[in-house]
Structure formats: C-alpha cells, structure tokens
Amino acid sequence: MVKLGRYNTLKVVKNVDFGAYLDGGDGVEILLPARYIGEPLHPGDEIEVFIYKDNEGRLIATTEHPYAQVGEFAFLQVNDVNRTGAFLDWGLMKQLLVPYSEQAVRLSRGMIVPVYVYVDDASQRIVASAKLDHFLGNCIPKYKVGDRVKALVYKHNERGYRAIVDNLFHGMFYESELYCPLEIGEEVTAYVNRVRDDGKIDLLLYGRKDGRVDSLAETIRERLANTQDGFIPLCDSSSPEAIREMFSCSKKDFKKAVGSLYREHLISLVEGGIKLNGK
C-alpha cells in the first residue's frame, strides 16, 4: 500500500506515451508523467517517487522533492490566497492548501510561515496547518539527558528560541545557554538537557553544559592557526564588544575557552593577546 504524501519505491508496470504507470498495490496503477522521467524505464524497474493527488483527486507520482513530507514541519511561502484558503509553494507544481480553519493568523501572499503537513481525514487530501500546537506533544517523550535530536527553530522570545523536536515535541533553547544567535527556520542538531514534567524539552546545541565552550575553544585554536604569527589581540582585559565581534560569544565564555586552551598548553598568554604555541 502506497503512503500518500511520502516517498515510495514502486515498480514500473508499463510505459505509455505520456509517462509510465507504477504498481501502487491492490491493482492500483499510479501515473508517473513523462516530464519526470530521465533515464528510460522498463517494466519491473524500481523507482523512488513522491506520491500526492492531482486536482481531480487521482494519485500521481513525481520524482520532484517537496520541501516537506506528510508528518513534517517546514517554513513555506504563501503564493496565493482565495476563498478556500492560502496556497503555499511546496516545491511541487501543485501548491499546498492551508484552509482558513487551519490558519493561526490570516495568511497573505508573500508571508513565510511554519506549517505542519498532514492528510485530511475527511477529504483524504494533503493539506497544511499553521496551528502547530495541535501537532506537538501528543505523546510522551522518551529521551534521556544527552540524547541527540533534530530541532527546527520557529520562534524567538525574551527567554530564547522555541523549536520543534524530531517533528513531535516542543523544545526550547535558552539565551543563557547560547553563545551565538539562532536563525528562525534553521534546523540544527541539538541535545536534550532536560525533559520537563509537561513533556517540553530543554535543549542545548552541544552534548553537555559546557559543550559550547569546548566548541569555542576549537574555533579560537583554528583562528590562531590561520593567522600569520599565531596571535590574536584579545585577552582578559579586552572589551566584551571586541570579543563578540570576533567570536560571537560572551566574554565569560571566551575566558573559559582560553583557560581550557591554556591548561592544555596549546596557547600562551602574552602582552595584549594570546598566541598559539609552536607557531
């Protein structure tokens, strides 16, 4: 049985002038239009395709890649709006509908919005919803501290950045745990710092509390190695602004990272800055 709104690997049944028919199971044949066929196909060949429905509700196959499959979140742009709802650029010829009932705020042309892609039970068509909370936190997270996850950043507030964890859960990056800003719409690898009683997840960009400092130390070491004399004019007395301009980090984290490099005898503290040993 084919999975609607997902990638499927299907066998070629027969070729026709306007494309090829693929075996969808239970006697169902699905057209792959000729414009999506590169190399010649032969009966029995297998091909990976994405399955959706055309405007008449018929199953159709494509080798194009949508920006999100059913069960995934993505940031998509509104291409058009009419009395049915908003239509999003989905990466396919057929645009993706967000019905008015699934709009958190009224959408207008040109907006880029985070949405969830799903199959509507009533119409059995692929649609999208901008009411993200309806699709998050509907099961109990089983993560342990330190588990690696995928996080889609979708909102910023005074506490930090809200994120969607593994297409299932609410997550949060706190400003106090970040040494550089995140981008809305950015998908990052993150690590579980805590699973709260309400099922929401506190996230870190690195695998332990001071992982950001370890990463910063490596960045500083690489920067030193790439200078002609292995010297950077930053030290304990440098201003927070100068440090942030060069490394996008706080002075506190900079001092920790430099301390780590110094303890490992990788750098020396010299007048007016730091120097890479051996260069």
Side-chain angles (χ1 to χ4, degrees), residues 69-251:
Q69 300 184 70
V70 162
E72 295 180 348
F73 295 84
F75 278 77
L76 302 178
Q77 182 169 316
V78 180
N79 273 358
D80 197 13
V81 177
N82 63 22
R83 60 185 179 183
T84 306
F87 290 85
L88 310 179
D89 177 5
W90 189 25
L92 302 181
M93 287 185 63
K94 180 180 169 64
Q95 298 181 101
L96 184 63
L97 171 67
V98 184
Y100 282 111
S101 61
E102 294 299 325
Q103 297 180 24
V105 297
R106 188 59 61 95
L107 301 181
S108 58
R109 184 179 301 171
M111 291 177 66
I112 297 176
V113 293
V115 295
Y116 179 77
V117 183
Y118 69 103
V119 177
D120 178 64
D121 289 335
S123 66
Q124 285 299 298
R125 290 177 182 265
I126 305 168
V127 294
S129 173
K131 296 182 176 180
L132 306 187
D133 286 348
H134 292 178
F135 305 95
L136 292 171
N138 294 321
C139 57
I140 300 171
K142 302 292 186 182
Y143 299 110
K144 304 185 298 297
V145 173
D147 281 352
R148 187 167 63 178
V149 298
K150 287 291 185 183
L152 176 65
V153 181
Y154 73 96
K155 186 179 291 187
H156 181 247
N157 58 33
E158 67 280 358
R159 297 168 63 206
Y161 295 85
R162 296 179 66 181
I164 297 164
V165 178
D166 286 344
N167 284 300
L168 289 171
F169 305 107
H170 290 279
M172 186 74 183
F173 292 98
Y174 292 95
E175 289 279 8
S176 60
E177 302 293 345
L178 296 170
Y179 69 87
C180 61
L182 296 172
E183 296 288 335
I184 302 300
E186 179 181 10
E187 186 175 63
V188 298
T189 298
Y191 297 85
V192 174
N193 190 37
R194 180 168 72 109
V195 178
R196 293 158 45 182
D197 292 340
D198 60 4
K200 296 179 180 178
I201 301 167
D202 292 344
L203 299 168
L204 296 172
L205 279 179
Y206 303 99
R208 60 184 189 277
K209 202 73 171 179
D210 62 348
R212 67 184 189 278
V213 176
D214 293 339
S215 178
L216 176 58
E218 180 61 18
T219 299
I220 293 171
R221 190 195 66 77
E222 289 178 357
R223 180 71 66 87
L224 287 165
N226 289 328
T227 62
Q228 186 173 357
D229 55 2
F231 174 79
I232 289 176
L234 292 176
C235 58
D236 282 357
S237 60
S238 298
S239 70
E241 292 76 16
I243 292 170
R244 185 169 294 278
E245 181 177 357
M246 182 171 289
F247 290 109
S248 300
C249 69
S250 68
K251 184 169 181 176

Side-chain angles (χ1 to χ4, degrees), residues 10-24:
L10 304 180
K11 284 187 177 182
V12 177
V13 176
K14 61 186 176 186
N15 289 303
V16 290
D17 291 341
F18 46 87
Y21 280 101
L22 310 178
D23 183 5

